[in-house]
Amino acid sequence: MTRNIPIAGRLGGDEFIILLRMESPEQTENKMRELMDRLSEVKFDGLDGIRTSVGVTEITGDDRDLDAAYKRADDALYESKRAGKNQITIG
């Protein structure tokens, strides 16, 4: 990711991935809270808001491939799910 362009995609089912360049974990958490707030406002065909669980990780220079970073994010996601809806866990 040499350019600062966010990438988002669906992994399957109700799981999505977002790759974005942020300056700090706090900035990342704030951006995810903003996204969660916007999703909770969605009203469509009887749907009254989308609840989310978020797992976040940082890709570091020690990561040789995306698998390790993906596992950290996935583990953080499941920690958020265990804690209840509308949670963010940074792992």
Side-chain angles (χ1 to χ4, degrees):
M1 292 184 61
T2 57
R3 297 184 297 168
N4 193 12
I5 300 172
I7 299 169
R10 181 173 177 241
L11 292 175
D14 62 351
E15 291 190 359
F16 296 83
I17 190 167
I18 302 171
L19 300 173
L20 65 148
R21 185 179 299 270
M22 304 299 288
E23 296 295 322
S24 68
E26 295 79 20
Q27 186 184 30
T28 303
E29 185 170 356
N30 289 340
K31 182 59 81 177
M32 291 300 100
R33 289 259 176 239
E34 179 184 320
L35 176 63
M36 291 168 69
D37 289 346
R38 294 175 101 183
L39 288 170
S40 71
E41 295 171 358
V42 170
K43 302 211 183 325
F44 176 78
D45 196 27
L47 179 67
D48 188 20
I50 298 172
R51 303 328 157 234
T52 56
S53 300
V54 177
V56 175
T57 196
E58 178 180 2
I59 297 174
T60 69
D62 293 335
D63 291 319
R64 297 294 169 225
D65 58 44
L66 286 179
D67 290 338
Y70 177 81
K71 179 160 182 4
R72 288 192 307 272
D74 198 47
D75 290 347
L77 168 64
Y78 281 95
E79 182 61 34
S80 287
K81 287 182 176 186
R82 282 189 289 275
K85 294 289 185 187
N86 290 330
Q87 299 294 319
I88 297 173
T89 301
I90 298 176

